[in-house]
PDB file of all heavy atoms in Angstrom:
ATOM      1  N   ALA U   1      16.335 -41.893 -50.864  1.00 84.00           N
ATOM      2  CA  ALA U   1      16.428 -40.917 -51.952  1.00 84.00           C
ATOM      3  C   ALA U   1      15.874 -39.571 -51.510  1.00 84.00           C
ATOM      4  O   ALA U   1      16.482 -38.529 -51.746  1.00 84.00           O
ATOM      5  CB  ALA U   1      15.683 -41.431 -53.183  1.00 84.00           C
ATOM      6  N   VAL U   2      14.721 -39.589 -50.864  1.00 85.00           N
ATOM      7  CA  VAL U   2      14.093 -38.344 -50.415  1.00 85.00           C
ATOM      8  C   VAL U   2      14.981 -37.623 -49.405  1.00 85.00           C
ATOM      9  O   VAL U   2      15.156 -36.407 -49.463  1.00 85.00           O
ATOM     10  CB  VAL U   2      12.684 -38.622 -49.836  1.00 85.00           C
ATOM     11  CG1 VAL U   2      12.098 -37.376 -49.191  1.00 85.00           C
ATOM     12  CG2 VAL U   2      11.755 -39.141 -50.933  1.00 85.00           C
ATOM     13  N   GLU U   3      15.574 -38.369 -48.481  1.00 85.00           N
ATOM     14  CA  GLU U   3      16.422 -37.753 -47.461  1.00 85.00           C
ATOM     15  C   GLU U   3      17.730 -37.232 -48.036  1.00 85.00           C
ATOM     16  O   GLU U   3      18.288 -36.262 -47.526  1.00 85.00           O
ATOM     17  CB  GLU U   3      16.703 -38.751 -46.331  1.00 85.00           C
ATOM     18  CG  GLU U   3      15.480 -38.997 -45.457  1.00 85.00           C
ATOM     19  CD  GLU U   3      15.738 -40.026 -44.354  1.00 85.00           C
ATOM     20  OE1 GLU U   3      16.929 -40.246 -44.032  1.00 85.00           O
ATOM     21  OE2 GLU U   3      14.763 -40.579 -43.844  1.00 85.00           O
ATOM     22  N   SER U   4      18.241 -37.845 -49.087  1.00 86.00           N
ATOM     23  CA  SER U   4      19.506 -37.420 -49.689  1.00 86.00           C
ATOM     24  C   SER U   4      19.345 -36.225 -50.618  1.00 86.00           C
ATOM     25  O   SER U   4      20.318 -35.535 -50.907  1.00 86.00           O
ATOM     26  CB  SER U   4      20.127 -38.577 -50.491  1.00 86.00           C
ATOM     27  OG  SER U   4      20.381 -39.676 -49.659  1.00 86.00           O
ATOM     28  N   ALA U   5      18.138 -35.999 -51.088  1.00 88.00           N
ATOM     29  CA  ALA U   5      17.898 -34.956 -52.084  1.00 88.00           C
ATOM     30  C   ALA U   5      17.717 -33.581 -51.446  1.00 88.00           C
ATOM     31  O   ALA U   5      17.387 -33.461 -50.271  1.00 88.00           O
ATOM     32  CB  ALA U   5      16.658 -35.316 -52.897  1.00 88.00           C
ATOM     33  N   ASP U   6      17.938 -32.555 -52.273  1.00 88.00           N
ATOM     34  CA  ASP U   6      17.690 -31.173 -51.850  1.00 88.00           C
ATOM     35  C   ASP U   6      16.229 -30.793 -52.063  1.00 88.00           C
ATOM     36  O   ASP U   6      15.687 -29.954 -51.366  1.00 88.00           O
ATOM     37  CB  ASP U   6      18.579 -30.213 -52.653  1.00 88.00           C
ATOM     38  CG  ASP U   6      20.052 -30.512 -52.468  1.00 88.00           C
ATOM     39  OD1 ASP U   6      20.529 -30.410 -51.328  1.00 88.00           O
ATOM     40  OD2 ASP U   6      20.715 -30.867 -53.462  1.00 88.00           O
ATOM     41  N   VAL U   7      15.619 -31.406 -53.066  1.00 88.00           N
ATOM     42  CA  VAL U   7      14.242 -31.115 -53.446  1.00 88.00           C
ATOM     43  C   VAL U   7      13.510 -32.439 -53.588  1.00 88.00           C
ATOM     44  O   VAL U   7      14.063 -33.393 -54.130  1.00 88.00           O
ATOM     45  CB  VAL U   7      14.177 -30.365 -54.800  1.00 88.00           C
ATOM     46  CG1 VAL U   7      12.746 -30.125 -55.234  1.00 88.00           C
ATOM     47  CG2 VAL U   7      14.955 -29.066 -54.749  1.00 88.00           C
ATOM     48  N   ALA U   8      12.289 -32.513 -53.094  1.00 87.00           N
ATOM     49  CA  ALA U   8      11.482 -33.725 -53.279  1.00 87.00           C
ATOM     50  C   ALA U   8      10.129 -33.337 -53.861  1.00 87.00           C
ATOM     51  O   ALA U   8       9.415 -32.517 -53.286  1.00 87.00           O
ATOM     52  CB  ALA U   8      11.289 -34.448 -51.950  1.00 87.00           C
ATOM     53  N   PHE U   9       9.812 -33.896 -55.012  1.00 85.00           N
ATOM     54  CA  PHE U   9       8.502 -33.691 -55.617  1.00 85.00           C
ATOM     55  C   PHE U   9       7.544 -34.708 -55.024  1.00 85.00           C
ATOM     56  O   PHE U   9       7.895 -35.877 -54.864  1.00 85.00           O
ATOM     57  CB  PHE U   9       8.570 -33.876 -57.134  1.00 85.00           C
ATOM     58  CG  PHE U   9       9.147 -32.704 -57.865  1.00 85.00           C
ATOM     59  CD1 PHE U   9      10.503 -32.633 -58.130  1.00 85.00           C
ATOM     60  CD2 PHE U   9       8.338 -31.663 -58.283  1.00 85.00           C
ATOM     61  CE1 PHE U   9      11.043 -31.554 -58.799  1.00 85.00           C
ATOM     62  CE2 PHE U   9       8.864 -30.576 -58.952  1.00 85.00           C
ATOM     63  CZ  PHE U   9      10.220 -30.523 -59.214  1.00 85.00           C
ATOM     64  N   THR U  10       6.346 -34.269 -54.690  1.00 82.00           N
ATOM     65  CA  THR U  10       5.366 -35.203 -54.148  1.00 82.00           C
ATOM     66  C   THR U  10       4.699 -35.992 -55.262  1.00 82.00           C
ATOM     67  O   THR U  10       4.170 -37.065 -55.023  1.00 82.00           O
ATOM     68  CB  THR U  10       4.281 -34.466 -53.329  1.00 82.00           C
ATOM     69  OG1 THR U  10       3.682 -33.472 -54.152  1.00 82.00           O
ATOM     70  CG2 THR U  10       4.895 -33.823 -52.105  1.00 82.00           C
ATOM     71  N   GLY U  11       4.745 -35.483 -56.469  1.00 78.00           N
ATOM     72  CA  GLY U  11       4.162 -36.201 -57.602  1.00 78.00           C
ATOM     73  C   GLY U  11       5.215 -37.007 -58.328  1.00 78.00           C
ATOM     74  O   GLY U  11       6.404 -36.926 -58.035  1.00 78.00           O
ATOM     75  N   HIS U  12       4.784 -37.785 -59.305  1.00 81.00           N
ATOM     76  CA  HIS U  12       5.711 -38.600 -60.080  1.00 81.00           C
ATOM     77  C   HIS U  12       5.778 -38.176 -61.540  1.00 81.00           C
ATOM     78  O   HIS U  12       6.493 -38.779 -62.324  1.00 81.00           O
ATOM     79  CB  HIS U  12       5.321 -40.080 -59.984  1.00 81.00           C
ATOM     80  CG  HIS U  12       3.987 -40.379 -60.594  1.00 81.00           C
ATOM     81  ND1 HIS U  12       2.820 -40.202 -59.903  1.00 81.00           N
ATOM     82  CD2 HIS U  12       3.660 -40.806 -61.830  1.00 81.00           C
ATOM     83  CE1 HIS U  12       1.804 -40.525 -60.695  1.00 81.00           C
ATOM     84  NE2 HIS U  12       2.284 -40.892 -61.864  1.00 81.00           N
ATOM     85  N   ASP U  13       5.043 -37.126 -61.903  1.00 85.00           N
ATOM     86  CA  ASP U  13       5.014 -36.654 -63.289  1.00 85.00           C
ATOM     87  C   ASP U  13       6.310 -35.900 -63.593  1.00 85.00           C
ATOM     88  O   ASP U  13       6.579 -34.850 -63.021  1.00 85.00           O
ATOM     89  CB  ASP U  13       3.796 -35.739 -63.484  1.00 85.00           C
ATOM     90  CG  ASP U  13       3.563 -35.390 -64.942  1.00 85.00           C
ATOM     91  OD1 ASP U  13       4.531 -35.362 -65.724  1.00 85.00           O
ATOM     92  OD2 ASP U  13       2.400 -35.127 -65.300  1.00 85.00           O
ATOM     93  N   LEU U  14       7.120 -36.428 -64.507  1.00 88.00           N
ATOM     94  CA  LEU U  14       8.413 -35.822 -64.836  1.00 88.00           C
ATOM     95  C   LEU U  14       8.287 -34.438 -65.463  1.00 88.00           C
ATOM     96  O   LEU U  14       9.242 -33.674 -65.470  1.00 88.00           O
ATOM     97  CB  LEU U  14       9.196 -36.753 -65.769  1.00 88.00           C
ATOM     98  CG  LEU U  14       9.642 -38.073 -65.152  1.00 88.00           C
ATOM     99  CD1 LEU U  14      10.262 -38.982 -66.210  1.00 88.00           C
ATOM    100  CD2 LEU U  14      10.621 -37.836 -64.022  1.00 88.00           C
ATOM    101  N   ARG U  15       7.105 -34.093 -65.987  1.00 90.00           N
ATOM    102  CA  ARG U  15       6.927 -32.764 -66.584  1.00 90.00           C
ATOM    103  C   ARG U  15       6.973 -31.670 -65.535  1.00 90.00           C
ATOM    104  O   ARG U  15       7.090 -30.494 -65.858  1.00 90.00           O
ATOM    105  CB  ARG U  15       5.612 -32.710 -67.366  1.00 90.00           C
ATOM    106  CG  ARG U  15       5.686 -33.540 -68.647  1.00 90.00           C
ATOM    107  CD  ARG U  15       4.341 -33.700 -69.275  1.00 90.00           C
ATOM    108  NE  ARG U  15       3.453 -34.390 -68.330  1.00 90.00           N
ATOM    109  CZ  ARG U  15       2.206 -34.726 -68.602  1.00 90.00           C
ATOM    110  NH1 ARG U  15       1.700 -34.448 -69.782  1.00 90.00           N
ATOM    111  NH2 ARG U  15       1.473 -35.354 -67.711  1.00 90.00           N
ATOM    112  N   LEU U  16       6.892 -32.050 -64.248  1.00 88.00           N
ATOM    113  CA  LEU U  16       7.046 -31.062 -63.179  1.00 88.00           C
ATOM    114  C   LEU U  16       8.450 -30.459 -63.184  1.00 88.00           C
ATOM    115  O   LEU U  16       8.648 -29.316 -62.765  1.00 88.00           O
ATOM    116  CB  LEU U  16       6.785 -31.707 -61.813  1.00 88.00           C
ATOM    117  CG  LEU U  16       5.365 -32.200 -61.545  1.00 88.00           C
ATOM    118  CD1 LEU U  16       5.321 -33.013 -60.255  1.00 88.00           C
ATOM    119  CD2 LEU U  16       4.399 -31.029 -61.468  1.00 88.00           C
ATOM    120  N   LEU U  17       9.429 -31.213 -63.653  1.00 90.00           N
ATOM    121  CA  LEU U  17      10.822 -30.753 -63.621  1.00 90.00           C
ATOM    122  C   LEU U  17      11.058 -29.520 -64.494  1.00 90.00           C
ATOM    123  O   LEU U  17      11.548 -28.505 -63.996  1.00 90.00           O
ATOM    124  CB  LEU U  17      11.760 -31.897 -64.005  1.00 90.00           C
ATOM    125  CG  LEU U  17      11.689 -33.114 -63.091  1.00 90.00           C
ATOM    126  CD1 LEU U  17      12.415 -34.299 -63.709  1.00 90.00           C
ATOM    127  CD2 LEU U  17      12.252 -32.787 -61.729  1.00 90.00           C
ATOM    128  N   PRO U  18      10.740 -29.558 -65.803  1.00 92.00           N
ATOM    129  CA  PRO U  18      10.956 -28.343 -66.601  1.00 92.00           C
ATOM    130  C   PRO U  18      10.063 -27.187 -66.149  1.00 92.00           C
ATOM    131  O   PRO U  18      10.464 -26.023 -66.235  1.00 92.00           O
ATOM    132  CB  PRO U  18      10.637 -28.783 -68.039  1.00 92.00           C
ATOM    133  CG  PRO U  18       9.884 -30.058 -67.918  1.00 92.00           C
ATOM    134  CD  PRO U  18      10.302 -30.692 -66.630  1.00 92.00           C
ATOM    135  N   GLN U  19       8.864 -27.502 -65.639  1.00 89.00           N
ATOM    136  CA  GLN U  19       7.995 -26.429 -65.127  1.00 89.00           C
ATOM    137  C   GLN U  19       8.638 -25.745 -63.928  1.00 89.00           C
ATOM    138  O   GLN U  19       8.648 -24.527 -63.821  1.00 89.00           O
ATOM    139  CB  GLN U  19       6.631 -26.997 -64.737  1.00 89.00           C
ATOM    140  CG  GLN U  19       5.759 -27.402 -65.906  1.00 89.00           C
ATOM    141  CD  GLN U  19       4.450 -28.040 -65.447  1.00 89.00           C
ATOM    142  OE1 GLN U  19       3.997 -27.832 -64.338  1.00 89.00           O
ATOM    143  NE2 GLN U  19       3.834 -28.817 -66.322  1.00 89.00           N
ATOM    144  N   ALA U  20       9.187 -26.554 -63.006  1.00 88.00           N
ATOM    145  CA  ALA U  20       9.826 -25.996 -61.808  1.00 88.00           C
ATOM    146  C   ALA U  20      11.054 -25.177 -62.187  1.00 88.00           C
ATOM    147  O   ALA U  20      11.291 -24.100 -61.628  1.00 88.00           O
ATOM    148  CB  ALA U  20      10.201 -27.114 -60.846  1.00 88.00           C
ATOM    149  N   LEU U  21      11.830 -25.661 -63.147  1.00 90.00           N
ATOM    150  CA  LEU U  21      13.024 -24.942 -63.577  1.00 90.00           C
ATOM    151  C   LEU U  21      12.652 -23.609 -64.216  1.00 90.00           C
ATOM    152  O   LEU U  21      13.262 -22.572 -63.915  1.00 90.00           O
ATOM    153  CB  LEU U  21      13.829 -25.800 -64.554  1.00 90.00           C
ATOM    154  CG  LEU U  21      15.118 -25.191 -65.074  1.00 90.00           C
ATOM    155  CD1 LEU U  21      16.084 -24.872 -63.931  1.00 90.00           C
ATOM    156  CD2 LEU U  21      15.776 -26.120 -66.083  1.00 90.00           C
ATOM    157  N   ALA U  22      11.656 -23.619 -65.081  1.00 89.00           N
ATOM    158  CA  ALA U  22      11.217 -22.375 -65.721  1.00 89.00           C
ATOM    159  C   ALA U  22      10.698 -21.388 -64.680  1.00 89.00           C
ATOM    160  O   ALA U  22      10.979 -20.185 -64.742  1.00 89.00           O
ATOM    161  CB  ALA U  22      10.127 -22.671 -66.762  1.00 89.00           C
ATOM    162  N   HIS U  23       9.947 -21.903 -63.700  1.00 88.00           N
ATOM    163  CA  HIS U  23       9.404 -21.039 -62.647  1.00 88.00           C
ATOM    164  C   HIS U  23      10.536 -20.436 -61.808  1.00 88.00           C
ATOM    165  O   HIS U  23      10.510 -19.246 -61.465  1.00 88.00           O
ATOM    166  CB  HIS U  23       8.445 -21.839 -61.768  1.00 88.00           C
ATOM    167  CG  HIS U  23       7.709 -21.022 -60.768  1.00 88.00           C
ATOM    168  ND1 HIS U  23       6.818 -20.025 -61.123  1.00 88.00           N
ATOM    169  CD2 HIS U  23       7.723 -21.031 -59.409  1.00 88.00           C
ATOM    170  CE1 HIS U  23       6.330 -19.461 -60.028  1.00 88.00           C
ATOM    171  NE2 HIS U  23       6.866 -20.060 -58.978  1.00 88.00           N
ATOM    172  N   ALA U  24      11.547 -21.239 -61.484  1.00 88.00           N
ATOM    173  CA  ALA U  24      12.676 -20.745 -60.693  1.00 88.00           C
ATOM    174  C   ALA U  24      13.462 -19.680 -61.456  1.00 88.00           C
ATOM    175  O   ALA U  24      13.852 -18.655 -60.884  1.00 88.00           O
ATOM    176  CB  ALA U  24      13.586 -21.907 -60.314  1.00 88.00           C
ATOM    177  N   ARG U  25      13.681 -19.906 -62.741  1.00 90.00           N
ATOM    178  CA  ARG U  25      14.411 -18.920 -63.550  1.00 90.00           C
ATOM    179  C   ARG U  25      13.628 -17.605 -63.644  1.00 90.00           C
ATOM    180  O   ARG U  25      14.200 -16.521 -63.576  1.00 90.00           O
ATOM    181  CB  ARG U  25      14.671 -19.480 -64.951  1.00 90.00           C
ATOM    182  CG  ARG U  25      15.757 -20.528 -64.965  1.00 90.00           C
ATOM    183  CD  ARG U  25      15.949 -21.103 -66.349  1.00 90.00           C
ATOM    184  NE  ARG U  25      17.158 -21.915 -66.398  1.00 90.00           N
ATOM    185  CZ  ARG U  25      17.485 -22.702 -67.418  1.00 90.00           C
ATOM    186  NH1 ARG U  25      16.685 -22.785 -68.465  1.00 90.00           N
ATOM    187  NH2 ARG U  25      18.587 -23.401 -67.391  1.00 90.00           N
ATOM    188  N   ARG U  26      12.330 -17.732 -63.799  1.00 90.00           N
ATOM    189  CA  ARG U  26      11.487 -16.530 -63.874  1.00 90.00           C
ATOM    190  C   ARG U  26      11.507 -15.783 -62.543  1.00 90.00           C
ATOM    191  O   ARG U  26      11.609 -14.557 -62.506  1.00 90.00           O
ATOM    192  CB  ARG U  26      10.058 -16.955 -64.234  1.00 90.00           C
ATOM    193  CG  ARG U  26       9.117 -15.801 -64.475  1.00 90.00           C
ATOM    194  CD  ARG U  26       7.835 -16.326 -65.128  1.00 90.00           C
ATOM    195  NE  ARG U  26       6.878 -15.258 -65.235  1.00 90.00           N
ATOM    196  CZ  ARG U  26       5.964 -14.982 -64.313  1.00 90.00           C
ATOM    197  NH1 ARG U  26       5.883 -15.709 -63.223  1.00 90.00           N
ATOM    198  NH2 ARG U  26       5.126 -13.985 -64.472  1.00 90.00           N
ATOM    199  N   GLY U  27      11.415 -16.524 -61.435  1.00 89.00           N
ATOM    200  CA  GLY U  27      11.468 -15.899 -60.115  1.00 89.00           C
ATOM    201  C   GLY U  27      12.783 -15.182 -59.879  1.00 89.00           C
ATOM    202  O   GLY U  27      12.816 -14.075 -59.329  1.00 89.00           O
ATOM    203  N   ARG U  28      13.872 -15.800 -60.321  1.00 91.00           N
ATOM    204  CA  ARG U  28      15.187 -15.163 -60.156  1.00 91.00           C
ATOM    205  C   ARG U  28      15.276 -13.873 -60.978  1.00 91.00           C
ATOM    206  O   ARG U  28      15.828 -12.866 -60.521  1.00 91.00           O
ATOM    207  CB  ARG U  28      16.280 -16.139 -60.575  1.00 91.00           C
ATOM    208  CG  ARG U  28      17.659 -15.563 -60.394  1.00 91.00           C
ATOM    209  CD  ARG U  28      18.738 -16.566 -60.730  1.00 91.00           C
ATOM    210  NE  ARG U  28      20.030 -15.934 -60.563  1.00 91.00           N
ATOM    211  CZ  ARG U  28      21.138 -16.595 -60.364  1.00 91.00           C
ATOM    212  NH1 ARG U  28      21.105 -17.903 -60.265  1.00 91.00           N
ATOM    213  NH2 ARG U  28      22.269 -15.970 -60.246  1.00 91.00           N
ATOM    214  N   ALA U  29      14.748 -13.900 -62.201  1.00 93.00           N
ATOM    215  CA  ALA U  29      14.763 -12.698 -63.041  1.00 93.00           C
ATOM    216  C   ALA U  29      13.973 -11.568 -62.390  1.00 93.00           C
ATOM    217  O   ALA U  29      14.401 -10.407 -62.399  1.00 93.00           O
ATOM    218  CB  ALA U  29      14.193 -13.021 -64.426  1.00 93.00           C
ATOM    219  N   ILE U  30      12.830 -11.902 -61.798  1.00 92.00           N
ATOM    220  CA  ILE U  30      12.007 -10.885 -61.128  1.00 92.00           C
ATOM    221  C   ILE U  30      12.742 -10.323 -59.912  1.00 92.00           C
ATOM    222  O   ILE U  30      12.741  -9.115 -59.679  1.00 92.00           O
ATOM    223  CB  ILE U  30      10.635 -11.475 -60.735  1.00 92.00           C
ATOM    224  CG1 ILE U  30       9.794 -11.720 -61.996  1.00 92.00           C
ATOM    225  CG2 ILE U  30       9.893 -10.557 -59.762  1.00 92.00           C
ATOM    226  CD1 ILE U  30       8.527 -12.511 -61.766  1.00 92.00           C
ATOM    227  N   MET U  31      13.390 -11.200 -59.127  1.00 92.00           N
ATOM    228  CA  MET U  31      14.154 -10.724 -57.974  1.00 92.00           C
ATOM    229  C   MET U  31      15.286  -9.799 -58.403  1.00 92.00           C
ATOM    230  O   MET U  31      15.540  -8.770 -57.771  1.00 92.00           O
ATOM    231  CB  MET U  31      14.719 -11.902 -57.174  1.00 92.00           C
ATOM    232  CG  MET U  31      13.685 -12.637 -56.357  1.00 92.00           C
ATOM    233  SD  MET U  31      14.404 -13.830 -55.212  1.00 92.00           S
ATOM    234  CE  MET U  31      15.112 -15.011 -56.321  1.00 92.00           C
ATOM    235  N   THR U  32      15.960 -10.148 -59.499  1.00 93.00           N
ATOM    236  CA  THR U  32      17.051  -9.310 -60.003  1.00 93.00           C
ATOM    237  C   THR U  32      16.523  -7.941 -60.414  1.00 93.00           C
ATOM    238  O   THR U  32      17.137  -6.914 -60.113  1.00 93.00           O
ATOM    239  CB  THR U  32      17.755 -10.002 -61.189  1.00 93.00           C
ATOM    240  OG1 THR U  32      18.240 -11.271 -60.755  1.00 93.00           O
ATOM    241  CG2 THR U  32      18.901  -9.165 -61.715  1.00 93.00           C
ATOM    242  N   GLN U  33      15.380  -7.919 -61.091  1.00 92.00           N
ATOM    243  CA  GLN U  33      14.765  -6.646 -61.472  1.00 92.00           C
ATOM    244  C   GLN U  33      14.488  -5.790 -60.241  1.00 92.00           C
ATOM    245  O   GLN U  33      14.755  -4.586 -60.231  1.00 92.00           O
ATOM    246  CB  GLN U  33      13.452  -6.894 -62.221  1.00 92.00           C
ATOM    247  CG  GLN U  33      13.593  -7.520 -63.582  1.00 92.00           C
ATOM    248  CD  GLN U  33      12.253  -7.991 -64.134  1.00 92.00           C
ATOM    249  OE1 GLN U  33      11.195  -7.777 -63.540  1.00 92.00           O
ATOM    250  NE2 GLN U  33      12.302  -8.673 -65.269  1.00 92.00           N
ATOM    251  N   ASN U  34      13.934  -6.421 -59.200  1.00 91.00           N
ATOM    252  CA  ASN U  34      13.589  -5.686 -57.984  1.00 91.00           C
ATOM    253  C   ASN U  34      14.825  -5.128 -57.278  1.00 91.00           C
ATOM    254  O   ASN U  34      14.807  -4.003 -56.782  1.00 91.00           O
ATOM    255  CB  ASN U  34      12.792  -6.560 -57.027  1.00 91.00           C
ATOM    256  CG  ASN U  34      11.350  -6.734 -57.477  1.00 91.00           C
ATOM    257  OD1 ASN U  34      10.870  -6.009 -58.338  1.00 91.00           O
ATOM    258  ND2 ASN U  34      10.659  -7.701 -56.909  1.00 91.00           N
ATOM    259  N   VAL U  35      15.894  -5.909 -57.238  1.00 93.00           N
ATOM    260  CA  VAL U  35      17.128  -5.440 -56.598  1.00 93.00           C
ATOM    261  C   VAL U  35      17.709  -4.265 -57.383  1.00 93.00           C
ATOM    262  O   VAL U  35      18.107  -3.250 -56.798  1.00 93.00           O
ATOM    263  CB  VAL U  35      18.155  -6.592 -56.474  1.00 93.00           C
ATOM    264  CG1 VAL U  35      19.526  -6.073 -56.081  1.00 93.00           C
ATOM    265  CG2 VAL U  35      17.673  -7.621 -55.456  1.00 93.00           C
ATOM    266  N   VAL U  36      17.767  -4.390 -58.704  1.00 93.00           N
ATOM    267  CA  VAL U  36      18.305  -3.311 -59.544  1.00 93.00           C
ATOM    268  C   VAL U  36      17.474  -2.039 -59.375  1.00 93.00           C
ATOM    269  O   VAL U  36      18.018  -0.942 -59.213  1.00 93.00           O
ATOM    270  CB  VAL U  36      18.358  -3.745 -61.028  1.00 93.00           C
ATOM    271  CG1 VAL U  36      18.640  -2.563 -61.936  1.00 93.00           C
ATOM    272  CG2 VAL U  36      19.409  -4.826 -61.213  1.00 93.00           C
ATOM    273  N   LEU U  37      16.147  -2.172 -59.384  1.00 91.00           N
ATOM    274  CA  LEU U  37      15.270  -1.013 -59.211  1.00 91.00           C
ATOM    275  C   LEU U  37      15.484  -0.363 -57.851  1.00 91.00           C
ATOM    276  O   LEU U  37      15.593   0.867 -57.752  1.00 91.00           O
ATOM    277  CB  LEU U  37      13.803  -1.432 -59.369  1.00 91.00           C
ATOM    278  CG  LEU U  37      12.750  -0.345 -59.150  1.00 91.00           C
ATOM    279  CD1 LEU U  37      12.914   0.773 -60.161  1.00 91.00           C
ATOM    280  CD2 LEU U  37      11.353  -0.919 -59.215  1.00 91.00           C
TER     281      LEU U  37
END
């Protein structure tokens, strides 16, 4: 499973998933702001 996946979480807490998604979306928004500026 780990080798087939694009991302591997070292923990088993499923709440890491929405946190990671929110963080990625926020990072993308910041990058977009920087490119536009």
Side-chain angles (χ1 to χ4, degrees):
V2 172
E3 288 178 20
S4 300
D6 301 298
V7 177
F9 282 91
T10 56
H12 64 276
D13 189 332
L14 293 173
R15 289 169 300 183
L16 294 171
L17 300 168
Q19 288 176 23
L21 181 60
H23 187 63
R25 286 178 169 170
R26 186 167 174 268
R28 182 176 179 158
I30 290 170
M31 286 190 294
T32 302
Q33 292 168 5
N34 284 346
V35 168
V36 168
L37 177 62

